[in-house]
Amino acid sequence: MTDTITRRNMMELGAGATLALTTGSVLHAQTGGQASVGYAVVGLGKLSLGQILPALQRTKNAHLAALVSGHPDKAKKVAAQYGLPETAIYNYENFDSIAKNPAIQVVYIVLPNSMHADFTIRSFKAGKHVLCEKPMAVTLEECERMIAAGKAANRQLMIAYRCQYEPVNVTAMQLMRKGTVGTPRLVNAVMGKQTDLSDPSDAWRLDMKMSGGGALADMGIYGINATRYLLNEEPVEVRGWARTDKNDPRFKTVEDMIAWQMRFPSGAIGDGSSCFSQPGTMAWQVVGSERRLVADPGCFYGGNSVRIVGGRNDPQPQVAEIDHFGNEMDWFGDVVRGRAPNVSPGEEGLQDMRIMHAIMQSVANGGQTVKLDTAYRRTYDPATVVGVRTSA
Ligand code: NAD
């Protein structure tokens, strides 16, 4: 069966409405031909150079308008590579002058975590919308200031949770909402990679002040976020344990491994781990009363899949591969033009931060259970507002 979902005008959308929006080319074709949105990319590190800038060559609703870097030579080289004039290069000091550049509508913050809040707030002061990488920031107070600054400026803040806009994960959410697994019992998520202190891209990740946490803040966040969007509910309490070899020079200030458990109101348990001394892994599985959903890998940049395990001759989901980053930037292009809902606003980033901080608090207290503030509810369920083409 091919499941092609129609897009309706955003004006018809009410919170909780069953609206399905297509991603990819169908979405792009229906943006009414409006000019695409200009992005300033802040930070020219691994993610920007390897994924974001190449993806911006293929986007339909988004294009590269400026670069912000602390390295003038690198910025000039990258600008030339992408056909940008030198006038479109900013540094961290003159960044605020982007206010005078109407070609920039969105600032995409791809900096170490401790710099997210400052650059988000400066972007809002400059009148721009913000797409900010995960984790949203380092402290809960920073997250709250970022959200308040966006509201004060009347600008959108989206946290770059690419998997919430990505067909494999969205298909899995749709299968969950259809009851494919029966009653969900457990979501298990295993996230990790090897870190290398001599790699500058890992050095700040291994520095508590810059990262706000070790493997949990960098990779565990995917598992926590996936558990929440798969179950479509919020945990009421958490606990966690850490395993860290303090003689390993990588782990002087951050943890290596944290394992966690989260209890959900339905009775489902979220269980997972994040680790900075294991091979690259981004896998999750849902165990239900009737079937399992298995995604391994589930959150890599590509090559993800989800399988239904335990049924009888269940047709397996066939999900097309997309560019996660291009898709996400296109989506946000539509958000700022009022054509698509902001599925992962600042409040969504803050919720993961609350949970991760509660897990870290539990770790610090020998695995004691920590109760969570249960007020947060997501406004839009990606399973209904982010459509995908699947055949299952
Ligand atoms: P990176 O270290 O490769 O790049 C960071 C950039 O920030 C570099 O250009 C560096 O020069 C610059 N920078 C400015 N001040 C710095 C300072 N004081 N110390 C270190 N670098 C400084 O990191 P990255 O892997 O590109 O990650 C950037 C952000 O993107 C992080 O928030 C990370 O969590 C996030 N990220 C998200 C994904 C995803 O799949 N969504 C993947 C990787 C990284």
Side-chain angles (χ1 to χ4, degrees), residues 43-48 71 74 92 108-113 115-116 133-135 160 162 200-202 204-205 210 218 222 301 325:
L44 299 180
K46 268 195 188 164
L47 186 65
S48 293
H71 302 274
K74 177 160 67 170
Y92 301 133
Y108 191 171
I109 295 166
V110 202
L111 290 165
N113 309 339
M115 300 171 78
H116 290 184
E133 265 307 334
K134 50 52 61 181
R162 59 186 165 79
S201 191
D202 279 349
W204 69 259
R205 284 175 163 85
M210 299 208 73
D218 192 48
Y222 288 94
Y301 297 161
F325 295 94

Side-chain angles (χ1 to χ4, degrees), residues 136 143-144 146-148 150-151 156-159 161 225 228 234 342-354 376-379:
M136 182 170 173
C143 297
E144 274 154 11
M146 291 160 79
I147 293 168
K151 290 202 161 77
Q156 291 281 346
L157 169 60
M158 183 167 125
I159 308 305
Y161 284 118
N225 200 252
R228 294 176 42 242
E234 300 301 327
N342 187 345
V343 173
S344 55
E347 289 80 358
E348 174 69 5
L350 171 58
Q351 175 67 355
D352 280 337
M353 291 285 297
R354 269 191 210 108
Y376 175 74
R377 293 286 174 277
R378 69 163 71 241
T379 307

